[in-house]
Amino acid sequence: MMWADELAQAIEERFAKEIKAKTPLIIRDEKTLSGRVHIGSLRGIVIHGLIGQVLSQKGIKNTFKFELNDFDPMDGLPVSLDKAVYKPHMGKPLFTVPPHEEGFENYPMVFGEELKGVANALGIPIEWYMLKPLYEDGKFNETIRDALDNADKIRKIYLDVSGGGKPDNWYPFSVICEECGRIGTTQVTDWNGEKVHYTCRKDMVTWAEGCEHTGSISPFDGNGKLPWKVEWAAKWKVLGVHIEGAGKDHNAAGGSRGISNRISEEIFKYPEPFNIPYEFFNFRGKKMSASKGLGASAKEISDLLPPTLLKLLMIRKAPNQPLDFDPEGKTIPNLFDEYDRLSDHYFKRHPEPYEAFARTFELTQIDLSKPPENLWQARFSVLSFIVQMPHLSLEEEAEKIKGSALNKAEKEALEIRAKYMKQWLESSAPDGCKYVILNELPKDFSVDETQKNALTKLKEAFNDESVAWDGTSIHETIHKVKEGTGIQPKEIFQPLYQMFLGKTSGPQIGWFLSTFDRTEVIKRLESATI
Ligand SMILES: [Zn+2]
């Protein structure tokens, strides 16, 4: 069974009562908009979104709410920002920081709008919401009161779970300083049931400096916010969350999930949502890290891949397995090939179709309301060759390989693939995938006697004009020569590619040779067998 179906089944069991009562299941995930959203963050969005889609297919009502967190403090300065302009904003809530690009509401929404564009292109139904308005509307007031009233119990939970205790005068709340507007620098030291007492500290954090103001203020209606681990639990209760996974780091022993679970159950009396722990997304073999500048943004990677392949990248492995992505390596060609292999299982072109592969293919589609269309698609190796050959017509060659005309949808699919292919070849493809046709036999070309004999036989066979000059006939001719001489496939294929490309591999050999004139191939074989 495909992993999303397994999870949906477990979810169905746990929430049988809610499902029977037709209560929509709430799925939630979030991202703090402190910088450009990295490709790794898309994994969580797609996992949660896919669960929602699978539940919907089963007739189970659900809503996937994704939080664009605009209330956390600005705690880092991306290198692209003007330091002089943005340094004074360090420590302020993100929503108060001005946008660095025109046409946006504020700084975090520059990143928020970009993320929305990437995720929406994948066809995942998402209800986007911002965090700050929930606080301002008083939605968190009850949990804020519970948290402040139970500050001692929360301190103990931190100590029990993570081993890292909090001082006795620590309260789970951060105020927006009335003097300087910072939230990352304030420390609440008392709570009298109506107001919190706080100090804006100069040295509370390394990334921002407070103004040393001291005051008392109501903690409600947006005057401040709960700290992350307490807030996480509060969000579950406030939004009625049923399902929410989290990355490996949060789920580690002593990590934030463990603390939030206990706060949720013991302080807010709300059960822990159904958890889906998921593994890291590795970029070029390393764990993605915003702080170390490792990785690429979700937008950059989404520009490299058609949406179906981006979705495949994110769902091809179960959440408990790490994902790897290297745009300069084989990841992209492999994704194209994997997509085509999965489609063979779905459309039963594979002799032994495997249900989980077929299902994965089905779920990579952007519009899940209708079954995928059975299209002929050009394989990656072939397509990457055609688009590099200015003398070849994309559509003509595709029709030759298919053996019949392409329909409208197939032509469109071909154009889309070719567009992404060209882009990849120009931007990040390894040299091994780049082809240049040589005008003459390469200088370092050499074959042994067995190979020379086979190539001579092949030249003679090609001279027979009664045999058609197309991919299938050429392939059959090579096969016959191979059988007749007993040569190993590799021994004859390699020089054939080398003659024209200067490298020992290429697209399927019969079709490859058919893209040249018969006389040209014979001439090249002659110079190769002198
Ligand atoms: Zn201040």
Side-chain angles (χ1 to χ4, degrees):
M1 203 187 269
M2 200 269 183
W3 61 262
D5 291 315
E6 274 177 22
L7 284 171
Q9 206 172 61
I11 288 166
E12 211 178 344
E13 281 164 26
R14 169 157 165 193
F15 298 108
K17 213 171 72 198
E18 287 82 351
I19 293 165
K20 207 170 159 217
K22 302 221 179 313
T23 307
L25 298 184
I26 304 298
I27 307 167
R28 200 197 80 95
D29 189 15
E30 70 171 75
K31 183 77 192 103
T32 296
L33 301 174
S34 53
R36 238 183 147 186
V37 180
H38 276 220
I39 182 69
S41 300
L42 204 56
R43 186 174 198 187
I45 301 182
V46 176
I47 289 173
H48 288 92
L50 191 70
I51 294 297
Q53 289 184 305
V54 169
L55 289 173
S56 295
Q57 285 185 329
K58 295 170 89 124
I60 298 169
K61 280 192 191 161
N62 67 88
T63 305
F64 175 24
K65 291 178 187 263
F66 192 92
E67 178 183 298
L68 299 168
N69 184 336
D70 57 347
F71 206 171
D72 278 350
M74 184 171 193
D75 61 359
L77 267 179
V79 283
S80 56
L81 286 187
D82 185 341
K83 265 205 169 73
V85 176
Y86 282 92
K87 198 147 186 279
H89 292 288
M90 291 296 286
K92 290 185 185 170
L94 289 166
F95 69 85
T96 66
V97 182
H100 53 296
E101 275 179 35
E102 263 178 60
F104 295 91
E105 193 186 337
N106 51 32
Y107 174 75
M109 278 319 283
V110 178
F111 311 117
E113 293 299 342
E114 185 176 86
L115 179 64
K116 277 161 100 171
V118 171
N120 289 341
L122 299 180
I124 296 167
I126 302 177
E127 199 181 292
W128 304 90
Y129 75 92
M130 321 284 296
L131 179 59
K132 182 202 55 151
L134 290 188
Y135 272 98
E136 284 182 338
D137 291 349
K139 298 276 194 290
F140 281 96
N141 287 356
E142 191 191 326
T143 49
I144 290 171
R145 180 175 292 282
D146 285 344
L148 288 169
D149 284 347
N150 293 288
D152 55 337
K153 287 185 193 146
I154 291 178
R155 284 180 218 127
K156 181 152 190 316
I157 292 172
Y158 271 84
L159 184 66
D160 286 355
V161 180
S162 71
K166 298 279 183 191
D168 287 347
N169 63 349
W170 178 88
Y171 283 83
F173 199 75
S174 301
V175 168
I176 302 175
C177 174
E178 296 156 281
E179 258 325 290
C180 72
R182 290 192 175 78
I183 190 168
T185 50
T186 59
Q187 185 178 18
V188 168
T189 49
D190 201 12
W191 157 243
N192 64 9
E194 251 184 74
K195 289 183 173 180
V196 286
H197 185 75
Y198 73 96
T199 304
C200 183
R201 284 180 48 191
K202 214 177 163 82
D203 57 353
M204 177 127 137
V205 290
T206 52
W207 34 267
E209 208 171 274
C211 68
E212 301 195 300
H213 171 76
T214 292
S216 288
I217 192 172
S218 157
F220 304 122
D221 303 327
N223 288 342
K225 74 193 287 290
L226 296 161
W228 149 240
K229 292 163 202 173
V230 183
E231 187 181 71
W232 197 7
K235 285 168 182 171
W236 296 338
K237 179 162 185 182
V238 168
L239 297 158
V241 177
H242 298 97
I243 302 152
E244 179 164 344
K248 187 186 184 178
D249 37 352
H250 295 304
N251 281 296
S256 46
R257 181 79 182 204
I259 292 176
S260 299
N261 285 348
R262 281 198 47 192
I263 293 173
S264 187
E265 282 169 8
E266 294 169 32
I267 311 296
F268 302 139
K269 314 292 178 207
Y270 189 83
E272 185 207 345
F274 183 92
N275 193 3
I276 307 164
Y278 53 88
E279 261 282 353
F280 291 127
F281 187 101
N282 299 315
F283 190 79
R284 292 194 184 125
K286 292 189 177 112
K287 190 197 148 198
M288 299 259 325
S289 162
S291 57
K292 288 181 192 153
L294 263 178
S297 73
K299 177 74 170 75
E300 284 168 293
I301 301 303
S302 77
D303 286 344
L304 289 178
L305 294 165
T308 41
L309 289 194
L310 182 59
K311 201 173 173 196
L312 173 61
L313 170 68
M314 294 295 162
I315 71 171
R316 56 190 292 275
K317 284 188 180 175
N320 63 2
Q321 291 182 45
L323 285 179
D324 292 290
F325 188 80
D326 182 359
E328 284 160 16
K330 291 294 259 177
T331 314
I332 291 178
N334 289 346
L335 273 174
F336 274 88
D337 288 344
E338 185 173 349
Y339 183 84
D340 292 341
R341 271 200 308 277
L342 296 175
S343 82
D344 287 343
H345 286 265
Y346 182 84
F347 294 113
K348 308 215 163 20
R349 291 185 292 245
H350 192 275
E352 289 170 42
Y354 181 52
E355 187 265 324
F357 289 169
R359 178 69 170 146
T360 302
F361 175 78
E362 187 188 352
L363 293 175
T364 58
Q365 303 302 301
I366 302 308
D367 181 359
L368 291 186
S369 68
K370 52 179 194 216
E373 222 180 322
N374 192 351
L375 300 179
W376 178 87
Q377 296 257 27
R379 297 277 150 149
F380 187 92
S381 59
V382 162
L383 194 59
S384 72
F385 181 74
I386 301 176
V387 299
Q388 294 180 71
M389 297 298 126
H391 67 289
L392 296 181
S393 147
L394 182 60
E395 202 177 309
E396 250 173 58
E397 294 305 321
E399 292 189 337
K400 270 201 234 161
I401 299 165
K402 187 194 170 192
S404 61
L406 304 186
N407 65 31
K408 190 167 167 277
E410 286 169 341
K411 280 182 198 168
E412 279 169 17
L414 182 68
E415 288 298 331
I416 292 173
R417 277 198 171 192
K419 181 190 115 183
Y420 282 98
M421 181 74 68
K422 282 183 198 157
Q423 198 181 279
W424 177 69
L425 285 162
E426 280 161 19
S427 66
S428 44
D431 285 343
C433 295
K434 291 182 183 158
Y435 299 116
V436 177
I437 301 296
L438 306 174
N439 292 324
E440 52 184 30
L441 203 66
K443 298 222 161 22
D444 60 351
F445 183 88
S446 85
V447 281
D448 62 22
E449 281 308 308
T450 324
Q451 287 173 307
K452 195 181 269 189
N453 174 41
L455 292 175
T456 308
K457 289 256 170 5
L458 190 63
K459 184 188 71 185
E460 284 158 10
F462 284 162
N463 262 321
D464 180 356
E465 294 268 351
S466 69
V467 179
W469 190 250
D470 59 45
T472 318
S473 312
I474 295 171
H475 184 87
E476 278 166 9
T477 307
I478 299 172
H479 190 70
K480 271 188 214 147
V481 168
K482 202 161 52 81
E483 296 286 293
T485 56
I487 193 169
Q488 290 301 309
K490 201 174 81 175
E491 302 291 302
I492 187 163
F493 288 160
Q494 285 186 347
L496 287 172
Y497 289 119
Q498 234 172 345
M499 284 183 345
F500 287 98
L501 298 173
K503 52 176 76 178
T504 51
S505 62
Q508 57 200 70
I509 191 70
W511 169 78
F512 169 70
L513 292 179
S514 82
T515 64
F516 301 94
D517 283 341
R518 185 197 290 257
T519 48
E520 214 181 327
V521 175
I522 292 171
K523 230 173 88 192
R524 196 66 62 99
L525 279 167
E526 259 162 20
S527 52
T529 50
I530 293 166

